[in-house]
């Protein structure tokens, strides 16, 4: 384990979700490049990868939650 930098990337208006960027792999599956990805931390318990595709750090359009 090494040091991984984390950068704040925003939050939802209700404060339920926080978005951040890091090059650390936090969830499985994750891409295997060394470029930063965007994650969402929701409710203090759920962490999800929200960036996808060849350009890391560019979130995919969010799917509606039901």
């Amino acid at each position: 384990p090494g040091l991984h930098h984390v950068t704040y990337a925003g939050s939802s208006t209700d404060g339920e979700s926080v978005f951040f960027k890091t090059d650390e792999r936090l969830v499985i599956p994750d891409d295997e490049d060394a470029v930063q990805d965007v994650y969402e931390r929701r409710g203090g318990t759920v962490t999800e990868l929200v960036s996808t595709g060849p350009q890391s750090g560019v979130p995919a359009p969010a799917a509606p939650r039901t």
Side-chain angles (χ1 to χ4, degrees):
L3 295 176
H4 296 275
H5 296 281
V6 176
T7 304
Y8 173 77
S11 61
S12 62
T13 56
D14 64 2
E16 180 70 15
S17 295
V18 175
F19 301 90
F20 59 94
K21 297 187 289 186
T22 183
D23 61 353
E24 183 175 5
R25 294 180 69 192
L26 299 178
V27 297
I28 307 285
D30 187 355
D31 59 8
E32 296 184 15
D33 60 26
V35 182
Q36 287 193 331
D37 285 311
V38 178
Y39 292 89
E40 175 185 7
R41 179 76 173 170
R42 187 174 59 253
T45 58
V46 176
T47 302
E48 292 183 318
L49 175 66
V50 295
S51 62
T52 59
Q55 294 181 346
S56 181
V58 178
R65 296 210 173 127
T66 57

